[in-house]
Amino acid sequence: MVKRILQIVLGLAIGISLFGVYSDETHEKKLIIWYLLTPKVLQVIAWIVLFYFASHLVSGKPKDYSKFFYNMLVKIFGDPKNIDKKH
């Protein structure tokens, strides 16, 4: 329940910063998000996102290849389930 409340509060904060406008006598009107996200912060976020996507592209999705290798060995040596037990 606490996690959901934090998600709602964070969502509202992001929504307000995206649509809220700030201005004073010395500066022109800007969205609040542009006061929070300086170019340096955006560069760090871009590096993190690119590193995340690159690591997922390189590592790929884990997959179980045991059935593939078992079937390959069955083709080469025959199925061990069908071996005669009369030895």
Side-chain angles (χ1 to χ4, degrees):
M1 184 68 180
V2 174
K3 182 179 177 183
R4 182 65 185 141
I5 292 172
L6 288 174
Q7 288 175 343
I8 291 171
V9 170
L10 184 61
L12 288 173
I14 291 172
I16 289 170
S17 65
L18 286 173
F19 295 111
V21 177
Y22 175 79
S23 68
D24 58 7
E25 295 93 27
T26 59
H27 295 94
E28 61 189 47
K29 290 194 327 185
K30 286 187 179 180
L31 294 175
I32 294 174
I33 193 74
W34 296 123
Y35 284 105
L36 300 174
L37 294 177
T38 62
K40 193 67 171 174
V41 173
L42 288 174
Q43 183 181 14
V44 170
I45 291 171
W47 275 102
I48 292 170
V49 169
L50 287 173
F51 182 76
Y52 174 79
F53 283 127
S55 65
H56 279 281
L57 288 173
V58 169
S59 67
K61 192 164 112 175
K63 188 173 180 181
D64 183 17
Y65 289 102
S66 59
K67 184 174 179 171
F68 168 76
F69 288 111
Y70 176 79
N71 289 335
M72 186 176 64
L73 291 173
V74 165
K75 287 180 184 178
I76 295 171
F77 299 110
D79 194 357
K81 297 175 187 172
N82 295 337
I83 295 179
D84 291 333
K85 298 190 180 192
K86 296 180 182 181
H87 292 291

